């Protein structure tokens, strides 16, 4: 246990992660619900998120350019400034329709630092520690999000937007302060956009496919809260379920990290089966209590699943010839460009079939879960040849 806390790099990554998770709870956990509460229809919410991720994909190479000149920490600071703008506009919902282009741009550019987690982890974390490290990282994320969710619920219900916004801004800035302690300037010998696009279009690596398939998991994660809110039609009850669900996750994530370090492939198989079953329940459950309970199970295994899959992805990055930062950027670009396409299709379908679009979201998630597991297995077989 000591080795996961003795290195200062680990400690600052944990602290940076809990600060960001706390600050990002409004956008990341309540984002779709807040937009829906402000009167924006489901199809437009889907379109907003699709355009947002498209912008994030296009600006991901800027992570390499900015980080090579001023360091990863300042890149995170720039990204978090856009996150603060997004949080302000989300809390002041009356202006979203009027300034929807600015809102989409701000949400897009807040993803500028997305490759930073994989880049920092690939640089500082030993491969034999990666599973448990990702568990601890997810635990800090859960704790930060759970505490912040209570704050968000209080702020929204009591209409204390100014206090809520101030605290959110402070924690976004705290992430920058912590990451600055382990900051470094990455090497950039080529045009990052050109290098990233060349890798995307010319490389045959399954790494791109795995990231692209994760699109459906991201969509599920973003829209399950909205599905639960629509079913419950009660923001206070919805918030309580979210907080309890987050706190229970700490238990399950604690165990999977150690198991991942011992046998990553068995861990992948286990969480693939369980996640597929849990997502499948959403396709058939109609009772409010059953859906709320399954939401708790889903949250728990989402973090468990993230721990094992992230560990596998980071191990793939570590074993490639290309530099870590380029691969982290390519992964985010593959994810974002796929999200643009899938979100756009879902937005069109939602304008026709309404809330039934959630069934399609859950179905796509199950397909991606099974496909990713097969791709990781093939990558491991290829490595052993």
């Amino acid at each position: 246990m000591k080795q996961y806390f003795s290195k200062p790099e680990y400690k600052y990554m944990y602290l940076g992660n809990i600060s960001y998770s706390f600050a990002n709870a409004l956008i990341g956990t309540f984002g779709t619900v807040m937009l829906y509460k402000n009167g924006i229809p489901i199809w437009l919410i889907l379109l907003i998120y699709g355009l947002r991720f498209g912008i994030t994909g296009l600006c991901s190479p800027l992570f390499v350019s900015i980080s090579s000149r001023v360091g990863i920490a300042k890149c995170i600071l720039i990204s978090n400034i856009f996150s603060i703008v997004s949080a302000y506009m989300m809390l002041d919902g009356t202006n979203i329709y009027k300034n929807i282009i600015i809102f989409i741009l701000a949400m897009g550019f807040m993803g500028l630092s997305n490759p930073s987690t994989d880049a920092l982890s690939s640089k500082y974390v030993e491969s034999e520690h990666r599973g448990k490290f990702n568990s601890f990282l997810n635990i800090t994320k859960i704790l930060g999000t759970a505490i912040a969710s209570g704050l968000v619920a209080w702020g929204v219900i009591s209409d204390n937007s100014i206090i809520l916004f101030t605290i959110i801004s402070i924690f976004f800035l705290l992430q920058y302060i912590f990451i600055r302690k382990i900051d470094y300037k990455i090497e950039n010998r080529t045009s990052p956009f050109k290098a990233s696009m060349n890798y995307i279009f010319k490389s045959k690596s399954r790494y791109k496919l795995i990231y692209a398939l994760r699109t459906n998991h991201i969509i599920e994660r973003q829209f399950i809260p909205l599905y639960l809110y629509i079913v419950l039609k009660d923001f206070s009850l919805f918030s309580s379920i979210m907080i309890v669900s987050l706190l229970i996750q700490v238990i399950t994530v604690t165990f999977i990290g150690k198991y991942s370090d011992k046998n990553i492939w068995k861990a992948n198989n286990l969480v693939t089966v369980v996640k597929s079953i849990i997502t499948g329940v959403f396709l058939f459950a109609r009772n409010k209590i059953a859906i709320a309970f399954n939401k708790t199970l889903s949250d728990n295994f989402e973090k468990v699943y993230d721990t094992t899959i992230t560990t596998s992805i980071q191990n793939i990055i570590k074993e490639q010839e290309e530099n870590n930062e380029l691969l982290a950027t390519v992964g985010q670009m593959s994810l974002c460009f796929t999200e643009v396409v899938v979100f756009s299709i879902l937005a069109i379908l939602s304008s026709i079939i309404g809330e039934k679009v959630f069934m399609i979201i859950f179905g796509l998630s199950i397909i991606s879960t099974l496909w990713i597991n097969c791709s990781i297995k093939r990558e491991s077989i290829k490595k052993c040849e």
Side-chain angles (χ1 to χ4, degrees), residues 3 6 13 49 51 83 89 91 94 140 156 197 200 205 220 236 243 248 255 260 262-263 307 340 346 374 381:
Q3 65 266 36
S6 58
M13 279 191 275
Y49 272 78
L51 293 172
S83 297
M89 295 186 71
L91 286 170
T94 56
T140 61
V156 173
M197 296 305 290
I200 286 175
S205 173
E220 180 190 18
S236 298
I243 294 166
I248 294 174
F255 291 107
S260 295
K262 286 184 176 180
N263 194 321
T307 298
V340 174
L346 290 173
C374 291
I381 292 171

Side-chain angles (χ1 to χ4, degrees), residues 44-263:
L44 185 53
I45 297 174
L46 285 161
L47 187 60
I48 287 171
Y49 272 78
L51 293 172
R52 165 211 173 170
F53 285 116
I55 294 168
T56 298
L58 289 172
C59 74
S60 288
L62 290 175
F63 166 76
V64 178
S65 299
I66 295 171
S67 298
S68 64
R69 294 183 180 181
V70 297
I72 287 180
K74 282 193 173 65
C75 186
I76 286 174
L77 176 62
I78 295 169
S79 172
N80 284 357
I81 289 171
F82 285 108
S83 297
I84 291 171
V85 172
S86 299
Y88 174 78
M89 295 186 71
M90 197 168 280
L91 286 170
D92 184 26
T94 56
N95 286 324
I96 288 184
Y97 266 119
K98 189 191 304 182
N99 301 304
I100 195 164
I101 302 300
I102 295 174
F103 178 69
I104 292 170
L105 286 172
M107 287 194 76
F109 281 104
M110 64 182 266
L112 179 66
S113 63
N114 280 357
S116 63
T117 300
D118 284 340
L120 288 166
S121 178
S122 298
K123 179 176 178 62
Y124 291 119
V125 182
E126 301 295 332
S127 294
E128 61 270 22
H129 298 163
R130 204 174 298 283
K132 200 152 202 175
F133 169 82
N134 282 322
S135 280
F136 286 131
L137 202 66
N138 270 324
I139 288 170
T140 61
K141 181 177 182 179
I142 293 164
L143 291 174
T145 305
I147 297 169
S149 295
L151 177 68
V152 169
W154 167 81
V156 173
I157 294 170
S158 61
D159 197 25
N160 280 298
S161 299
I162 295 176
I163 296 174
L164 179 58
F165 174 72
T166 301
I167 296 173
I168 286 172
S169 301
I170 290 170
F171 274 87
F172 271 128
L173 295 176
L174 277 176
Q175 187 203 14
Y176 160 70
I177 292 170
F178 289 129
I179 298 302
R180 190 177 176 184
K181 298 289 186 181
I182 54 174
D183 194 20
Y184 71 97
K185 293 181 180 180
I186 68 174
E187 293 184 12
N188 181 22
R189 299 174 183 173
T190 59
S191 166
F193 187 82
K194 183 178 180 181
S196 300
M197 296 305 290
N198 281 339
Y199 193 93
I200 286 175
F201 288 110
K202 295 182 180 180
S203 170
K204 297 180 180 179
S205 173
R206 285 191 180 88
Y207 169 72
K208 298 178 301 181
L209 175 62
I210 293 170
Y211 254 105
L213 288 169
R214 296 230 60 197
T215 289
N216 295 315
H217 293 152
I218 302 297
I219 295 173
E220 180 190 18
R221 183 187 307 159
Q222 297 281 354
F223 280 82
I224 279 183
L226 178 55
Y227 181 65
L228 179 63
Y229 175 72
I230 290 173
V231 169
L232 297 175
K233 296 180 174 61
D234 184 328
F235 188 78
S236 298
L237 179 59
F238 162 77
S239 301
S240 300
I241 292 171
M242 294 292 289
I243 294 166
V244 171
S245 173
L246 284 162
L247 291 173
I248 294 174
Q249 290 175 40
V250 174
I251 301 171
T252 50
V253 172
T254 301
F255 291 107
I256 199 65
K258 187 173 182 180
Y259 187 46
S260 295
D261 283 336
K262 286 184 176 180
N263 194 321

